[in-house]
Amino acid sequence: MKKKFSLLLACLLMFSFCLPSMVRAEKDVENTISLPAALIKGHTYDLQIADGKLNVNGESCESTFVAEGTQAVIAYTDAEGNAIASYTLPVIDSKDSADHCAYFYDPSGAVAKVENENDITLSFSKDCTVSFLSKLNPEDLAMYFAVVEEKGNFDEVRFTLTDAEDASRSLTFTVNMAAQTVYLGNNKAQLEDLYDVVQLRYKNASKRLMLGNDKTLFSCQKDDDNDDFTGFSAGVYLTVQTEGVKGASALRLTRLGNHPLGHKDSSSPDMTEPTLKFISSVPSTMYMNDVFEFPSYEVYDVYSPVVESSVTVEAPDGTVYTEAFTVSQYGKYKLTSTAKDGCGNQSKTVKMIFVNDDIAPEMTVSAMEKTSYKVGDKVKIPAYTVSDNLGAYNVDVILFLPNAEIRLLTHDATGEITYCLTDSALYNAGFIADNSSFKAEQTGKYTIRYVAYDDQYNRVVQELTFHVQ
């Protein structure tokens, strides 16, 4: 599984604290560490650091560990063993993904969380910050919410997306209750009734905030630090923050990512499959002798731990590859990606990669018997030989007359020849001679063109000319 939190140097002094939301370094720090606000018991975490070392709960760790107990002390040192940073993160028990409210982490304990049939409701009477603990897929991130009737006693609610590999990269969408408007920096857009479900969707490829699937609210050009925003590098963490709370208030969250919230489907703690996102590009076309490098990817699941994931490529002859290989066959290669979570939900996607023939046929054309004729002479069409690397080929022999008329003489489909030059429905009797000849009827310059091409329309062309007096 290629899930990772990229953990880079953040500061020079060791510090240890319990994170209330997202770890965020100052803007002028070159690299930042990004961690969730808390860990989920039983989930596997891959915490990597460039040119440094990782220690979890007092023991050296290459990168991967399973969260257990009630807290995890995560310490980073540089290659020489000098302390960089230390974090003490709570470990939250989700009861094997059954307690969905546990994923909404509130360090203050002031937020009441209730799972209803079609939502999870957050109730609060003072300003609060709630962090969702699973890393989410930013490619099409749904954040559906509604304000509970008669409990909109607050000024703003903020949805902050923070890059899981760089805590200095974030976007905050602020919803103003009075204006029913969403803001990102200087951008703003009007929303619909906040007491009905508002369907906010963030699309990472286009860096757009959408209302539903088809209405663009605005494009995200600057991040929260007013730096140019180029999109999130991988997954994101979500925090929900309220401000200006004046009394009993509540928000209903109805969907996150690809997962509807609530206990409507009660037969399993999790009824939704994981999603797999390629981090590196996957080509749609390749060529013979290219080296196919398997793309890196991340797998996301809103509730359950991901227990299996794979990417395979099946060649045209049925050979299955799981690591880099050299393209040696023409045709369609099938790239299949699968992911499975701890509740047995499985996703599968298939992408076709085409390896097209880019080699033209080889053709040799004989010389003409002579290059000067008289009107009424029989002109013999020079013979040719042709071959193609894949076997199948086509050859059209075309005659250009002095008056600019074009006549197809023969069509050759891998040895099956259609003789058009003897077809009386096409050409007059004064032109027709036999399968390999025609009669010259006009004075001037004639051109015989040979066009050989394969199924991919790779072609080679040769021409012969002669004159008729």
Side-chain angles (χ1 to χ4, degrees), residues 15 89 97 110 128 165 176 178 182 201-202 206 217 286 293 300 342 364 391:
F15 56 95
L89 301 182
S97 306
C128 62
E165 292 190 346
N176 182 275
V182 60
R201 303 184 80 101
Y202 171 74
S206 58
L217 295 176
M286 297 188 70
E293 299 287 352
Y300 304 89
T364 301

Short mmCIF file of all heavy atoms in Angstrom, two decimals, residues 15 89 97 110 128 165 176 178 182 201-202 206 217 286 293 300 342 364 391:
data_model
loop_
_atom_site.label_atom_id
_atom_site.label_comp_id
_atom_site.label_asym_id
_atom_site.label_seq_id
_atom_site.Cartn_x
_atom_site.Cartn_y
_atom_site.Cartn_z
N PHE A 15 9.69 20.08 20.23
CA PHE A 15 8.54 20.52 20.99
C PHE A 15 7.55 19.38 21.05
O PHE A 15 7.50 18.54 20.17
CB PHE A 15 7.90 21.78 20.39
CG PHE A 15 7.50 21.64 18.97
CD1 PHE A 15 6.21 21.28 18.63
CD2 PHE A 15 8.44 21.82 17.96
CE1 PHE A 15 5.85 21.15 17.31
CE2 PHE A 15 8.08 21.68 16.64
CZ PHE A 15 6.78 21.35 16.32
N LEU A 89 0.09 12.49 20.09
CA LEU A 89 -1.22 12.45 19.45
C LEU A 89 -2.14 11.47 20.18
O LEU A 89 -1.73 10.33 20.45
CB LEU A 89 -1.10 12.02 17.99
CG LEU A 89 -0.23 12.89 17.08
CD1 LEU A 89 -0.27 12.34 15.66
CD2 LEU A 89 -0.71 14.33 17.09
N SER A 97 -14.37 0.90 13.37
CA SER A 97 -15.07 1.73 12.38
C SER A 97 -16.57 1.85 12.62
O SER A 97 -17.26 2.50 11.83
CB SER A 97 -14.84 1.21 10.95
OG SER A 97 -13.47 1.08 10.66
N ALA A 110 -16.42 20.06 23.82
CA ALA A 110 -17.61 20.91 23.90
C ALA A 110 -18.63 20.62 22.81
O ALA A 110 -19.73 21.18 22.84
CB ALA A 110 -17.18 22.38 23.81
N CYS A 128 -15.94 26.57 18.23
CA CYS A 128 -15.31 25.24 18.33
C CYS A 128 -14.59 24.89 17.03
O CYS A 128 -14.83 25.48 15.97
CB CYS A 128 -16.35 24.18 18.65
SG CYS A 128 -17.62 24.00 17.37
N GLU A 165 0.63 16.40 2.97
CA GLU A 165 2.08 16.31 2.81
C GLU A 165 2.77 17.63 3.08
O GLU A 165 3.99 17.70 3.11
CB GLU A 165 2.43 15.81 1.41
CG GLU A 165 2.04 14.36 1.18
CD GLU A 165 2.62 13.81 -0.10
OE1 GLU A 165 3.10 14.60 -0.93
OE2 GLU A 165 2.60 12.58 -0.26
N ASN A 176 -20.60 32.60 5.45
CA ASN A 176 -21.18 33.63 6.31
C ASN A 176 -22.69 33.43 6.40
O ASN A 176 -23.38 33.37 5.37
CB ASN A 176 -20.87 35.02 5.74
CG ASN A 176 -21.39 36.14 6.62
OD1 ASN A 176 -22.55 36.52 6.51
ND2 ASN A 176 -20.53 36.65 7.49
N ALA A 178 -25.17 35.38 7.73
CA ALA A 178 -26.05 36.51 7.42
C ALA A 178 -26.15 36.75 5.91
O ALA A 178 -27.23 36.97 5.38
CB ALA A 178 -25.54 37.76 8.13
N VAL A 182 -20.23 32.23 0.50
CA VAL A 182 -19.00 31.52 0.79
C VAL A 182 -17.82 32.34 0.27
O VAL A 182 -17.88 32.90 -0.84
CB VAL A 182 -19.00 30.09 0.18
CG1 VAL A 182 -19.14 30.11 -1.32
CG2 VAL A 182 -17.72 29.33 0.59
N ARG A 201 -18.46 21.07 -3.27
CA ARG A 201 -17.53 20.06 -3.80
C ARG A 201 -16.25 20.76 -4.25
O ARG A 201 -16.31 21.76 -4.99
CB ARG A 201 -18.13 19.31 -4.98
CG ARG A 201 -19.44 18.61 -4.71
CD ARG A 201 -19.89 17.80 -5.92
NE ARG A 201 -19.20 16.53 -5.99
CZ ARG A 201 -19.74 15.38 -5.60
NH1 ARG A 201 -20.97 15.35 -5.11
NH2 ARG A 201 -19.07 14.26 -5.70
N TYR A 202 -15.12 20.23 -3.79
CA TYR A 202 -13.83 20.75 -4.25
C TYR A 202 -13.25 19.79 -5.28
O TYR A 202 -13.20 18.57 -5.05
CB TYR A 202 -12.85 20.92 -3.09
CG TYR A 202 -11.46 21.26 -3.59
CD1 TYR A 202 -11.17 22.52 -4.08
CD2 TYR A 202 -10.47 20.27 -3.62
CE1 TYR A 202 -9.91 22.81 -4.58
CE2 TYR A 202 -9.21 20.56 -4.12
CZ TYR A 202 -8.93 21.83 -4.59
OH TYR A 202 -7.68 22.10 -5.11
N SER A 206 -9.02 20.84 -11.36
CA SER A 206 -9.30 22.17 -11.89
C SER A 206 -9.19 23.26 -10.82
O SER A 206 -9.36 24.45 -11.13
CB SER A 206 -10.69 22.20 -12.52
OG SER A 206 -11.68 21.85 -11.57
N LEU A 217 -18.45 27.80 -8.28
CA LEU A 217 -18.55 28.99 -7.43
C LEU A 217 -17.36 29.90 -7.66
O LEU A 217 -17.52 31.09 -7.87
CB LEU A 217 -18.65 28.57 -5.96
CG LEU A 217 -19.92 27.79 -5.59
CD1 LEU A 217 -19.86 27.36 -4.13
CD2 LEU A 217 -21.17 28.63 -5.85
N MET A 286 1.49 4.21 -25.65
CA MET A 286 2.92 3.92 -25.53
C MET A 286 3.40 3.32 -26.85
O MET A 286 2.60 3.02 -27.74
CB MET A 286 3.20 2.97 -24.36
CG MET A 286 2.84 3.54 -23.00
SD MET A 286 3.40 2.49 -21.63
CE MET A 286 5.18 2.75 -21.73
N GLU A 293 6.65 2.33 -16.37
CA GLU A 293 6.89 2.47 -14.94
C GLU A 293 5.54 2.53 -14.22
O GLU A 293 4.68 3.33 -14.57
CB GLU A 293 7.68 3.74 -14.66
CG GLU A 293 9.06 3.78 -15.30
CD GLU A 293 10.06 2.86 -14.62
OE1 GLU A 293 9.71 2.30 -13.55
OE2 GLU A 293 11.16 2.70 -15.15
N TYR A 300 -7.79 5.92 -0.36
CA TYR A 300 -8.53 6.65 0.66
C TYR A 300 -9.79 5.88 1.04
O TYR A 300 -10.46 5.31 0.18
CB TYR A 300 -8.95 8.03 0.16
CG TYR A 300 -7.81 8.88 -0.34
CD1 TYR A 300 -7.40 8.81 -1.67
CD2 TYR A 300 -7.13 9.74 0.51
CE1 TYR A 300 -6.36 9.60 -2.13
CE2 TYR A 300 -6.09 10.53 0.06
CZ TYR A 300 -5.71 10.44 -1.27
OH TYR A 300 -4.67 11.22 -1.73
N GLY A 342 -11.26 -2.70 5.38
CA GLY A 342 -11.41 -3.69 6.44
C GLY A 342 -12.80 -4.26 6.57
O GLY A 342 -12.99 -5.28 7.24
N THR A 364 8.91 -2.01 -52.36
CA THR A 364 9.83 -1.86 -53.49
C THR A 364 9.01 -1.88 -54.77
O THR A 364 8.19 -2.78 -54.98
CB THR A 364 10.87 -2.98 -53.51
OG1 THR A 364 11.60 -2.97 -52.28
CG2 THR A 364 11.83 -2.81 -54.68
N GLY A 391 2.38 -7.89 -40.52
CA GLY A 391 1.81 -8.80 -41.51
C GLY A 391 0.78 -8.18 -42.41
O GLY A 391 0.84 -8.28 -43.63
#
